[in-house]
Amino acid sequence: MRLTPFHHLALVIPPLFLTVYLLANFPRPPTLPIIHTSLAHLPSSSPSWKVYPEDLYSGGAYANLPLGRVRYWLIGPEDGQRIVLIHGLSIPAIVWKDVAPVLASQGYRVLLYDLYGRGYSDAPQVTYDTTLHTTQLALLMQYVKWDNAFIVGLSMGGGVATAFSAHFPHLVNGKVALIASAGIIESSDISRTAKFMSTPLVQTVSALPPFQHYMRLLANTSKSSEPCETNPIQEIVRLQTAHLPHYNAAVASSLRDGPIRGLHFAFQSLARSGNQVLLIHGTSDKTVPYKYASMIHSLVPQADLVTISDGGHDLTVTHASEVNDLLLHFLADEYSYKPLG
């Protein structure tokens, strides 16, 4: 009898399945991710304590969340309208130093915190995707017993804020402000150097002890160590790069996998949410070019877009007074979609 292809399969498949059955291994039980330390674990002699002190804001504490400790601060009257401020890719909550106290002085209850891997928050060895960032905030709000709040995000924090409003709409109390917001940056606008430095290979090499030692040595001998010459915003980035074992990997993963790109769905969700939306963007922003403000506005057409002429990326530092005026106007109960002034 002539064997057909079906007969050949009938002869091969049983022993194949038996071999796979005998060789198959059940996966090992899941383990907790490695948690890397924050600025809080640096020695008291580290300049980071002067540049970005743990008590920069009053009302500071730590929340013990599943992926590590998160540093947060609650300032302003306890019965004030609640606001969350979300910082960006590389600079922790110090970036709000000229904004948060002003909001608190006007009666708002302000929650600031350091994202995982930055500042005084621990750095879990995981993928720093959008869900990690939005879940961190949701858990933190649950920890401080907040049912909802106004949400304000800066740079990558704008991407976090937008995705947060899509993932957890019940935690947003009707207003979302996005300052120099990322979220839909095209890969072509990310420099080749940034792409290269964020690759897993480079991050593996940079995590090796000799490289870490070299970076610490470089930081300790920097000419910018004189207090009168120190720009705290630039300095804290340099110190994190040199002294935090997982900071570079956290930033690199956020750049590759996080709320920097691909959030068109979240902005479209924000447009359908009924939330009032404020966009603030500078025309001279080289990190998130101004064209993205227009692109976001096209996705969220009801948003109020305010342009700061010649404003760069770090608007909360360089144009704090204007940002404060815009936020206070937007956050007020009587706000309507009319340009300020």
Side-chain angles (χ1 to χ4, degrees):
M1 183 179 70
R2 185 168 174 267
L3 293 177
T4 66
F6 176 79
H7 289 102
H8 285 292
L9 285 175
L11 293 173
V12 171
I13 288 177
L16 179 62
F17 269 101
L18 178 62
T19 302
V20 172
Y21 175 79
L22 293 174
L23 295 178
N25 288 320
F26 199 66
R28 294 180 179 180
T31 59
L32 294 174
I34 297 170
I35 306 295
H36 297 275
T37 55
S38 70
L39 291 177
H41 292 81
L42 295 185
S44 58
S45 58
S46 172
S48 64
W49 291 100
K50 293 182 178 179
V51 175
Y52 180 31
E54 195 177 31
D55 59 353
L56 177 65
Y57 309 104
S58 61
Y62 285 95
N64 290 306
L65 301 184
L67 292 178
R69 294 200 314 167
V70 170
R71 181 65 176 177
Y72 71 92
W73 299 263
L74 281 169
I75 62 175
E78 292 187 7
D79 60 350
Q81 189 71 259
R82 296 168 176 176
I83 307 172
V84 176
L85 301 181
I86 312 170
H87 68 75
L89 177 68
S90 57
I91 304 168
I94 189 177
V95 78
W96 298 108
K97 64 183 179 64
D98 298 321
V99 174
V102 173
L103 296 177
S105 71
Q106 295 300 308
Y108 291 97
R109 183 67 164 170
V110 182
L111 170 63
L112 309 95
Y113 68 104
D114 286 338
L115 294 173
Y116 284 128
R118 287 83 165 179
Y120 290 99
S121 290
D122 285 345
Q125 191 168 306
V126 297
T127 300
Y128 282 66
D129 58 16
T130 298
T131 301
L132 175 77
H133 291 93
T134 59
T135 303
Q136 179 190 10
L137 177 54
L139 290 173
L140 180 58
M141 288 180 64
Q142 182 186 52
Y143 185 88
V144 299
K145 297 180 172 57
W146 279 20
D147 295 328
N148 52 53
F150 299 153
I151 309 296
V152 180
L154 169 68
S155 189
M156 186 187 80
V160 176
T162 304
F164 182 81
S165 72
H167 291 174
F168 303 100
H170 60 289
L171 298 180
V172 181
N173 193 20
K175 293 179 186 280
V176 177
L178 309 174
I179 306 169
S181 181
I184 56 171
I185 295 178
E186 297 166 353
S187 297
S188 58
D189 280 325
I190 300 175
S191 71
R192 186 174 296 275
T193 299
K195 292 174 183 174
F196 172 73
M197 293 302 293
S198 68
T199 59
L201 175 61
V202 171
Q203 289 306 309
T204 298
V205 172
S206 66
L208 295 175
F211 187 88
Q212 292 280 316
H213 176 74
Y214 171 75
M215 291 300 295
R216 287 192 292 270
L217 188 65
L218 196 65
N220 291 336
T221 58
S222 172
K223 294 181 180 180
S224 66
S225 59
E226 290 296 324
C228 62
E229 298 177 1
T230 298
N231 178 325
I233 300 300
Q234 296 176 355
E235 185 72 358
I236 198 60
V237 172
R238 188 179 67 85
L239 290 169
Q240 290 177 116
T241 300
H243 294 286
L244 296 188
H246 204 64
Y247 170 77
N248 295 323
V251 170
S253 181
S254 296
L255 189 63
R256 292 193 313 270
D257 311 303
I260 299 286
R261 306 175 293 154
L263 292 182
H264 297 78
F265 78 93
F267 285 103
Q268 291 166 346
S269 174
L270 182 60
R272 297 189 299 267
S273 68
N275 290 311
Q276 295 179 327
V277 181
L278 173 66
L279 308 176
I280 305 173
H281 218 109
T283 58
S284 298
D285 192 333
K286 292 182 172 55
T287 304
V288 183
Y290 182 77
K291 68 177 183 180
Y292 288 109
S294 299
M295 293 170 66
I296 291 173
H297 198 210
S298 68
L299 292 171
V300 192
Q302 77 272 26
D304 190 358
L305 171 58
V306 178
T307 299
I308 296 182
S309 181
D310 297 325
H313 189 61
D314 297 326
L315 293 174
T316 60
V317 177
T318 60
H319 293 71
S321 178
E322 291 175 71
V323 169
N324 287 331
D325 288 344
L326 290 167
L327 286 177
L328 290 171
H329 172 70
F330 172 67
L331 296 170
D333 290 340
E334 62 272 16
Y335 172 79
S336 61
Y337 285 92
K338 296 178 182 178
L340 183 63

